[in-house]
Amino acid sequence: MADRSDFLPVSPADMRERGWDACDFVYISGDAYVDHPSFGMSIITRLLEAHGYRVGVICQPDWRDPAGVAVLGEPRLGFLVSAGNMDSMVNHYTVTKHRRRGDAYTPGGVAGARPNHACAVYGNLIRRTFKDTPIIMGGIEASLRRLAHYDYWQDRLKRSLLLDAGADLIIYGMGEHQIVEVADALAAGLTIDQVTYVAGTTYRTGSLDEVYDYELLPSWDELEADRLAYARSFNVQYGNMDPITATRLVEPYPHGVYVVQNPPALTLTEEEMDAVYALPYARAWHPDYDAAGGVPAFDEVRFSLASNRGCFGECSFCALTFHQGRTLQVRSRESIVAEARELTRDPAFKGYISDVGGPTANFFRVACDKQLKHGVCQHKRCLWPRVCRQMVVDESGYTALLRELRELPGVKKVFVRSGIRFDYTMADTSDEFLEELVEHHVSGQLRLAPEHVSDNVLALMGKPSRSVYDAFCRRFEEISRRLGREQYVVPYLISSHPGSTLADAIELAIAVRDMGYMPEQVQDFYPTPSTMATAMFYTGVDPRTMEPVYVARDPHEKAMQRALIQYRKPENYKLVREALERAGRQDLIGFDKRCLIKPFPPKGARGGTGLDRKGGKGPRAPKQKTGGAQGREAQAGGYRGSAGSAPAGRNRAAQGREGARGGRRR
């Protein structure tokens, strides 16, 4: 493993070793210290270091003791604060709001090393300890809570995190451009309240006299009084996530306070992306954690490669649009191959690259060239309801990259596990990528995310129709047979997504029966901050159309929808039977092979709600060597992030799929 000197200072002794009397910035994180580009903290701290700033790191401080944030003294320019690679509430709780027993981002995987709502807790602790030092927040938790947002765990609307955390600035998105611009401004002598012009930041002010070209959002009082006002506000926010077309947004609060969101920062160029991944990372956890056995999340990503960020897939349950944006950013093949060569020199490398991808692995160019000059279309989506005619569907660059990687000396196998958009592949006039995927990059199972089979639900999800998924499966199986491979498509499925009724859930159960798959884990929809689906869940309407959307909020109904997908489990029998009887589908109860359950309960059947009453872990997921620890909680359509000031790294996170793993072939 790496030597202590390979890391940034974490103690006064480390600072003295470098001859520092003070840090320029102190970075406080809810995660353990892993210096690897899959962890956003590492990108931001190494980027600041590359620009000449002295950065110290405090990971997982004791939030009950002010001394926890004062270990490295008062920084010269400011504190950078992040909850970590995941939203702290997703990190702590299952969708049923039971406490998790472990934390993959903590040494030894031990839970309890960070507080709930970590950004707010850290921010207030710093403000009580250092009254005037600038506090700059970033990462997935801050980014998705930068304006008023619905909090599922408290079941209410919450104010901008800026106000609740006592912070001065939120950097939203991945953050590389913003953090350098903010640092340079502070170093030049500007006070933090003068740094109001940086794209990709949110700040508060007591006057709009110097705020120009903005759109006024509904006020906090309006949002509290009317959920439909929040739906309208969120739709405006959602339409202003492109750096070229977006406008400034202002959210008014009582007592003359305004939260101002500047337009997003420009996306990184290929050269800038390459430079970020070429920074001198130690590519290891800090040696202080050796005794605890290290940090489990690092093992998940140690031998994987990030090829892109951003996503034009725009799934409703995914926060990527709100965090990384729709314009795809890619690294050069040379940069990715150079990193792969570095992996092969690691003594622990056994020849297997566990993943090459990003939010969506097979996206390796922008959706259309128009986006680079004119921005993304504000009222049209690239892949829904069908692939846009203006889209350039081209998987050849990604195919060539995979071919080059697997030819490297020392590489035995290259896996693609971060997920592909099958509708994009089906729109490709060439089968070259699919042929190579089947032949070289799948090991028995290809995990895909159709999410549902009801076209009504799929439309609200922003996913392609069932017919597209079925066509892909047929093509995959044809190629597998021709190549002599026994391989299967294993679907990720979401229950009780907004729009899903019991009838839709039964349709999904029937599809599971016909597909022959018995999912070992199913994701119940998890309403995480700032996704379109969460706005539907809270408001009961689709913010894009303001049309009513059915929402299953009752825990018992949610348990029934989830149980239907796993109808073969004896313990789900009573829930499945109740659901079928409630929906008038007794035709699916019987001895015929088309029936889901028999008229009498099997051995092992039990009653109850289907919720884990012990307050912890549900069914254990099978081991999986892909990025995105903590189950697959933060995937929500696939996300491999990396930055954000004090940001979320490979948070997948977008934060919406809790442990949705495929299952056994039946």
Side-chain angles (χ1 to χ4, degrees), residues 201-466:
T201 63
T202 304
Y203 65 94
R204 58 179 171 177
T205 181
S207 170
L208 296 180
D209 291 346
E210 297 183 7
V211 181
Y212 303 100
D213 302 323
Y214 63 85
E215 181 169 353
L216 196 65
L217 297 172
S219 69
W220 173 250
D221 289 340
E222 292 174 285
L223 296 176
E224 279 201 307
D226 183 7
R227 294 189 181 200
L228 296 184
Y230 178 71
R232 290 188 288 269
S233 178
F234 186 79
N235 193 46
V236 172
Q237 297 170 42
Y238 199 79
N240 282 277
M241 277 307 301
D242 181 81
I244 297 175
T245 63
T247 190
R248 189 169 288 103
L249 302 177
V250 173
E251 190 170 69
Y253 285 86
H255 311 299
V257 174
Y258 302 91
V259 173
V260 181
Q261 175 181 295
N262 289 322
L266 291 174
T267 54
L268 297 187
T269 64
E270 183 179 89
E271 292 76 13
E272 288 172 328
M273 284 275 283
D274 289 354
V276 162
Y277 285 87
L279 292 169
Y281 306 103
R283 296 183 176 271
W285 61 66
H286 195 278
D288 282 354
Y289 310 141
D290 288 349
V295 181
F298 175 63
D299 293 332
E300 296 282 330
V301 298
R302 184 173 185 177
F303 299 119
S304 65
L305 300 166
S307 59
N308 66 56
R309 69 169 64 154
C311 185
F312 49 81
E314 211 172 347
C315 300
S316 299
F317 49 82
C318 176
L320 267 175
T321 297
F322 217 69
H323 184 61
Q324 289 189 349
R326 289 169 55 190
T327 303
L328 201 74
Q329 303 162 73
V330 298
R331 296 169 63 186
S332 70
R333 281 165 52 191
E334 293 79 9
S335 168
I336 299 167
V337 171
E339 185 178 356
R341 286 198 181 96
E342 190 170 350
L343 294 185
T344 65
R345 291 191 284 270
D346 188 321
F349 183 70
K350 304 301 182 185
Y352 300 96
I353 294 176
S354 60
D355 190 23
V356 183
T360 301
N362 56 326
F363 290 173
F364 205 58
R365 57 153 291 136
V366 290
C368 68
D369 294 334
K370 178 184 78 70
Q371 291 182 347
L372 298 176
K373 285 188 176 181
H374 305 289
V376 299
C377 299
Q378 285 188 298
H379 304 295
K380 293 180 181 178
R381 286 184 274 178
C382 298
L383 292 174
W384 191 89
R386 60 191 61 85
V387 175
C388 176
R389 288 178 296 179
Q390 301 300 316
M391 180 176 284
V392 180
V393 180
D394 183 1
E395 297 169 298
S396 62
Y398 185 60
T399 306
L401 169 64
L402 293 175
R403 190 178 296 133
E404 191 169 353
L405 289 172
R406 68 174 185 260
E407 290 173 356
L408 288 175
V411 173
K412 299 176 183 177
K413 185 87 172 180
V414 179
F415 293 101
V416 176
R417 285 176 168 155
S418 54
I420 66 170
R421 278 294 294 234
F422 53 85
D423 48 348
Y424 188 75
T425 294
M426 293 303 290
D428 194 342
T429 56
S430 168
D431 268 351
E432 181 185 26
F433 166 67
L434 188 53
E435 295 262 359
E436 295 229 355
L437 179 73
V438 172
E439 185 171 6
H440 299 289
H441 304 289
V442 177
S443 183
Q445 296 179 344
L446 174 67
R447 301 178 187 275
L448 286 187
E451 314 295 3
H452 214 282
V453 298
S454 165
D455 283 344
N456 292 331
V457 181
L458 290 168
L460 289 168
M461 289 179 163
K463 299 290 286 188
S465 68
R466 179 181 179 180

Side-chain angles (χ1 to χ4, degrees), residues 444-609:
Q445 296 179 344
L446 174 67
R447 301 178 187 275
L448 286 187
E451 314 295 3
H452 214 282
V453 298
S454 165
D455 283 344
N456 292 331
V457 181
L458 290 168
L460 289 168
M461 289 179 163
K463 299 290 286 188
S465 68
R466 179 181 179 180
S467 62
V468 180
Y469 174 72
D470 289 343
F472 177 90
C473 290
R474 288 193 297 270
R475 188 72 186 117
F476 179 87
E477 289 165 5
E478 288 170 7
I479 296 173
S480 294
R481 280 196 302 271
R482 175 160 48 80
L483 294 173
R485 302 281 200 276
E486 186 177 352
Q487 298 182 148
Y488 307 101
V489 172
V490 178
Y492 290 126
L493 301 171
I494 295 179
S495 63
S496 61
H497 186 279
S500 178
T501 63
L502 268 183
D504 294 313
I506 291 169
E507 183 182 349
L508 181 53
I510 292 169
V512 169
R513 176 200 68 190
D514 295 343
M515 284 190 280
Y517 291 102
M518 180 61 186
E520 290 182 353
Q521 281 199 309
V522 174
Q523 172 57 42
D524 194 3
F525 171 68
Y526 203 152
T528 56
S530 298
T531 71
M532 185 63 71
T534 297
M536 294 179 196
F537 180 89
Y538 174 63
T539 65
V541 301
D542 183 339
R544 295 162 294 200
T545 64
M546 298 303 291
E547 293 293 323
V549 172
Y550 177 80
V551 177
R553 290 193 181 89
D554 175 59
H556 189 67
E557 181 185 346
K558 288 168 72 69
M560 286 192 290
Q561 290 208 26
R562 180 172 180 144
L564 279 162
I565 304 177
Q566 297 174 309
Y567 65 88
R568 290 187 179 95
K569 285 191 168 186
E571 61 267 33
N572 286 342
Y573 178 84
K574 289 189 176 181
L575 284 168
V576 173
R577 179 156 191 153
E578 181 184 351
L580 295 175
E581 290 174 345
R582 186 182 293 190
R585 293 302 307 270
Q586 288 89 340
D587 58 301
L588 295 173
I589 304 173
F591 297 97
D592 189 271
K593 64 180 182 181
R594 60 182 295 278
C595 293
L596 299 181
I597 57 174
K598 291 181 171 62
F600 51 84
K603 184 178 180 180
R606 64 171 183 259
T609 64

Side-chain angles (χ1 to χ4, degrees), residues 355 418 626-628 632 634-636 639-640 650-655:
D355 190 23
S418 54
T626 63
R632 220 176 156 80
Q635 176 169 355
Y639 167 32
R640 189 184 303 275
R650 183 169 294 203
N651 181 32
R652 298 242 186 207
Q655 321 266 2

Side-chain angles (χ1 to χ4, degrees), residues 27 44 80-82 136-139 171 173-176 179 643-647:
Y27 192 115
I44 294 302
L80 307 177
V81 178
S82 168
I136 302 157
M137 294 196 162
I171 290 179
M174 302 307 283
E176 290 97 341
I179 191 60
S645 164

Side-chain angles (χ1 to χ4, degrees), residues 34-63:
V34 180
D35 193 32
H36 184 280
S38 290
F39 295 77
M41 176 181 68
S42 299
I43 286 184
I44 294 302
T45 55
R46 288 299 186 184
L47 191 61
L48 285 169
E49 179 188 46
H51 281 79
Y53 293 100
R54 297 177 173 184
V55 186
V57 173
I58 301 176
C59 287
Q60 300 185 323
D62 183 351
W63 67 92

Side-chain angles (χ1 to χ4, degrees), residues 12-173:
D14 291 340
M15 292 171 60
R16 289 193 295 271
E17 187 70 24
R18 293 190 174 213
W20 296 3
D21 56 354
C23 296
D24 295 324
F25 291 99
V26 170
Y27 192 115
I28 293 180
S29 174
D31 286 347
Y33 187 8
V34 180
D35 193 32
H36 184 280
S38 290
F39 295 77
M41 176 181 68
S42 299
I43 286 184
I44 294 302
T45 55
R46 288 299 186 184
L47 191 61
L48 285 169
E49 179 188 46
H51 281 79
Y53 293 100
R54 297 177 173 184
V55 186
V57 173
I58 301 176
C59 287
Q60 300 185 323
D62 183 351
W63 67 92
R64 295 163 291 253
D65 183 359
V69 297
V71 172
L72 302 181
E74 183 175 12
R76 185 173 68 90
L77 298 177
F79 282 97
L80 307 177
V81 178
S82 168
N85 268 24
M86 294 177 67
D87 186 292
S88 58
M89 300 304 287
V90 178
N91 180 283
H92 284 168
Y93 297 98
T94 70
V95 68
T96 55
K97 301 183 183 179
H98 290 117
R99 189 82 183 194
R100 298 188 192 279
R101 295 179 182 174
D103 181 349
Y105 293 92
T106 294
V110 178
R114 80 190 80 211
N116 286 349
H117 299 287
C119 279
V121 173
Y122 291 152
N124 282 290
L125 184 62
I126 294 167
R127 184 58 69 218
R128 290 197 301 271
T129 310
F130 300 98
K131 304 297 183 186
D132 302 314
T133 309
I135 300 175
I136 302 157
M137 294 196 162
I140 196 75
E141 181 166 292
S143 186
L144 301 184
R145 296 171 184 265
R146 60 187 182 266
L147 296 172
H149 55 279
Y150 171 68
D151 186 272
Y152 170 66
W153 303 273
Q154 296 182 354
D155 192 26
R156 66 181 179 88
L157 206 65
K158 295 194 70 172
R159 306 185 305 169
S160 165
L161 179 65
L162 270 173
L163 306 181
D164 287 344
D168 297 291
L169 200 67
I170 286 176
I171 290 179
Y172 70 89

